[in-house]
C-alpha cells in the first residue's frame, strides 16, 4: 500500500504519516553532519511518498534550510515545506533564545525564504512561545505574511492548550509540533486532547527518542560537548542521564526483541507505535541516509500484531513513568528568554 496520508488541520493539507525531520541536517549540536547525503536522502523520501519536509531557522542557523532547499529544487511542487521561526543563537551564553516580536517574525520569514530558495512557505510554525511577547502580536504579523502570500498556513510548536487558544483567536492554527515517542507521552496527556477538540494536527518530533530507539546508543556512547543530548535530558526528561540510561537501554533491548517477533527492526516498531495514535498527523524522523527512509516507509505500512504492540506499550510506559520522577521543571526547558 505504501505510505499513508492524513489531514493536518485543514483538508488542504494531506500529509504523509511519516515526515522528514530536518533537525539533524543542521549539523551543529546534533552530532556529525549529513551534508554529503542530504540530497540523495531527500530524493529517496519523495520517491517513497513522503511529502512533508520539516526544518527550522534554528537548525544550524539556516544550514538545514539551505540543504533542504537545494535538494528540493526541481521537486518543489511534490512537497509540503514546513519551517519555524522565533529562536536565535546567542553565542555569548552558548544557548538559544526566544524572540516572537513582530519584527523578528517578519525577518525570520524573509531569511527562511532566502535559505530555502522558495517563494512561499507552506506551513510556518512558531518554534517556541516567547513569554515576553504577547502571542497576539506574534500571530498578528504571521497573519500579515499569509495575506501577503509568503505563507500558506500557520502553526505552532511546543505550545500549551492555553497558548494555542490565544493563537487561534488571531488566525487558524493548523498544527502543533510537540515531542512524542515511546519514552515520552507527556504531550499526549496534556496537549493531544485539545488538538483533537479544535481540529489541530499534531506533528510528532523525536519519534525515535532522539536516537535511543534508533539503536544508536550504548553504555559506551560518548557525545560531543556541544551535542544537546550531552546534558542527559531531552526536553526535561532524563532519557540520556546516567541515572536512567542503563535502564533505558535494557528497555530498548526488550523492544528490539518484540520488533523481531513482528518481522521489524527496533526503529520500525518505535515509529509504528507513534503512527498508531490517530491524533498524530505526521511522525517526524531525522533521516540520515536513503536506507533509513526505506525502512521507515515499510514501517508505515506494517501490520504489527496487537499482542506485540501491547507488550511494547507496557514496557516503555513503565520507563516513561520512572523518568517522570526526575523530570526538570517546565520553566527550565527549551530556549532561554530573550535579552531585555
Amino acid at each position: 500500500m505504501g505510505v499513508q496520508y492524513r489531514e493536518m488541520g485543514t483538508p488542504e493539507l494531506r500529509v504523509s504519516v511519516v515526515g522528514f525531520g530536518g533537525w539533524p541536517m543542521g549539523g551543529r549540536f546534533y552530532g556529525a553532519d549529513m551534508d554529503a547525503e542530504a540530497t540523495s536522502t531527500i530524493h529517496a523520501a519523495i520517491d517513497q511518498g513522503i511529502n512533508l519536509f520539516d526544518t527550522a531557522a534554528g537548525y544550524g542557523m539556516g544550514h538545514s534550510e539551505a540543504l533542504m532547499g537545494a535538494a528540493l529544487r526541481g521537486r518543489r511542487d511534490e512537497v509540503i515545506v514546513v519551517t519555524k521561526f522565533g529562536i536565535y543563537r546567542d553565542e555569548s551564553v552558548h544557548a538559544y533564545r526566544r524572540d516572537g516580536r513582530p519584527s523578528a517574525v517578519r525577518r525570520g520569514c524573509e531569511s527562511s525564504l532566502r535559505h530555502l530558495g522558495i517563494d512561499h512557505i507552506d506551513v510556518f510554525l512558531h518554534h517556541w512561545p516567547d513569554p515576553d511577547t504577547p502571542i497576539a502580536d506574534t500571530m498578528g504579523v504571521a497573519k500579515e505574511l499569509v495575506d501577503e502570500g509568503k505563507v500558506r498556513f500557520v502553526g505552532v510548536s511546543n505550545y500549551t492548550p492555553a497558548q494555542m487558544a490565544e493563537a487561534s483567536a488571531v488566525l487558524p492554527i493548523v498544527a502543533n509540533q510537540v515531542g512524542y515517542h515511546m519514552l515520552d507521552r507527556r504531550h499526549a496527556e496534556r496537549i493531544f486532547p485539545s488538538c483533537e477538540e479544535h481540529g489541530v494536527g499534531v506533528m510528532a518530533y523525536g519519534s525515535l527518542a532522539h536516537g535511543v530507539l534508533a539503536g544508536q546508543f550504548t553504555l559506551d556512547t560518548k557525545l560531543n560537548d556541544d551535542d544537546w543530548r550531552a546534558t542527559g535530558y531531552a526536553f526535561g526528561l532524563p532519557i540520556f542521564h546516567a541515572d536512567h540510561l542503563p535502564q533505558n537501554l535494557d528497555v530498548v533491548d526488550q523492544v528490539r526483541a518484540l520488533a523481531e517477533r513482528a518481522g521489524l527492526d527496533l526503529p520500525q516498531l518505535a515509529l509504528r507505535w507513534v503512527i498508531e495514535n490517530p491524533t498524530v498527523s505526521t511522525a517526524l524522523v531525522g533521516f540520515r541516509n536513503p536506507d533509513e527512509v526505506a525502512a521507515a516507509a515499510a514501517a508505515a505500512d506494517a501490520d504489527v500484531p496487537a499482542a506485540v504492540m501491547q507488550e511494547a506499550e507496557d514496557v516503555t510506559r513503565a520507563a516513561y513513568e520512572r523518568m517522570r520522577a526526575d523530570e526538570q521543571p517546565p520553566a527550565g526547558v527549551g530556549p532561554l528568554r530573550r535579552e531585555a
Side-chain angles (χ1 to χ4, degrees):
M1 292 176 60
V3 174
Q4 303 299 301
Y5 300 86
R6 294 176 181 170
E7 183 177 304
M8 190 171 78
T10 171
E12 295 179 67
L13 289 174
R14 295 286 294 176
V15 302
S16 50
V17 294
V18 176
F20 194 109
W23 190 357
M25 289 174 61
R28 193 179 178 195
F29 317 122
Y30 209 137
D33 69 65
M34 57 173 287
D35 291 23
E37 289 201 87
T39 297
S40 61
T41 304
I42 285 172
H43 288 182
I46 298 173
D47 293 341
Q48 289 282 355
I50 292 171
N51 73 345
L52 185 138
F53 288 79
D54 173 80
T55 182
Y59 298 166
M61 298 314 296
H63 186 67
S64 174
E65 289 180 323
L67 273 182
M68 188 171 287
L72 291 175
R73 283 181 196 130
R75 308 196 72 170
R76 172 67 176 96
D77 60 350
E78 301 177 62
V79 302
I80 294 167
V81 175
V82 182
T83 193
K84 308 178 199 71
F85 64 92
I87 67 171
Y88 66 95
R89 185 75 180 174
D90 184 345
E91 293 297 353
S92 69
V93 293
H94 305 292
Y96 284 91
R97 292 188 184 276
R98 312 178 190 212
D99 190 351
R101 290 174 292 184
S103 60
V105 178
R106 184 168 287 279
R107 187 168 59 248
C109 180
E110 297 295 345
S111 176
S112 290
L113 289 170
R114 185 170 60 253
H115 283 134
L116 286 161
I118 58 180
D119 62 4
H120 71 276
I121 295 162
D122 294 310
V123 185
F124 201 35
L125 305 180
H126 186 197
H127 207 153
W128 283 88
D130 174 6
D132 300 309
T133 303
I135 287 173
D137 291 356
T138 300
M139 291 297 149
V141 71
K143 185 176 185 301
E144 291 176 6
L145 294 169
V146 172
D147 294 340
E148 294 166 14
K150 295 176 180 177
V151 170
R152 288 182 64 205
F153 299 101
V154 174
V156 297
S157 182
N158 304 300
Y159 265 47
T160 66
Q163 290 165 338
M164 287 169 55
E166 287 187 59
S168 297
V170 179
L171 81 172
I173 298 301
V174 297
N176 190 359
Q177 186 174 137
V178 295
Y180 180 60
H181 51 79
M182 281 179 159
L183 298 177
D184 187 357
R185 296 105 178 281
R186 290 172 294 176
H187 297 313
E189 299 165 358
R190 301 170 180 170
I191 293 171
F192 282 24
S194 179
C195 289
E196 291 174 9
E197 180 182 354
H198 299 288
V200 175
V202 169
M203 300 177 66
Y205 66 74
S207 298
L208 303 183
H210 310 291
V212 172
L213 290 169
Q216 295 175 355
F217 282 77
T218 70
L219 289 176
D220 298 322
T221 298
K222 302 295 182 186
L223 296 171
N224 295 332
D225 290 342
D226 62 356
D227 189 309
W228 70 275
R229 297 166 293 183
T231 63
Y233 291 86
F235 303 96
L237 210 62
I239 294 175
F240 312 100
H241 197 281
D243 292 342
H244 289 274
L245 185 60
Q247 296 174 79
N248 289 342
L249 292 179
D250 287 342
V251 169
V252 167
D253 287 340
Q254 295 177 63
V255 176
R256 183 183 287 108
L258 289 167
E260 290 173 358
R261 277 172 48 189
L264 302 174
D265 61 23
L266 169 67
Q268 286 178 313
L269 182 58
L271 179 59
R272 184 69 238 175
W273 182 90
V274 176
I275 294 170
E276 287 283 311
N277 192 316
T279 306
V280 172
S281 298
T282 189
L284 299 171
V285 179
F287 298 114
R288 295 177 181 271
N289 58 65
D291 289 342
E292 292 180 354
V293 173
D301 194 34
D303 185 13
V304 181
V308 169
M309 194 62 78
Q310 186 59 55
E311 288 186 57
E313 163 71 17
D314 293 343
V315 69
T316 55
R317 176 171 284 281
Y320 161 67
E321 291 174 349
R322 164 175 42 83
M323 289 186 286
R324 285 298 301 275
D326 293 329
E327 181 182 0
Q328 290 178 324
V333 174
L336 305 175
R337 295 175 79 137
R338 62 179 168 83
E339 292 182 293

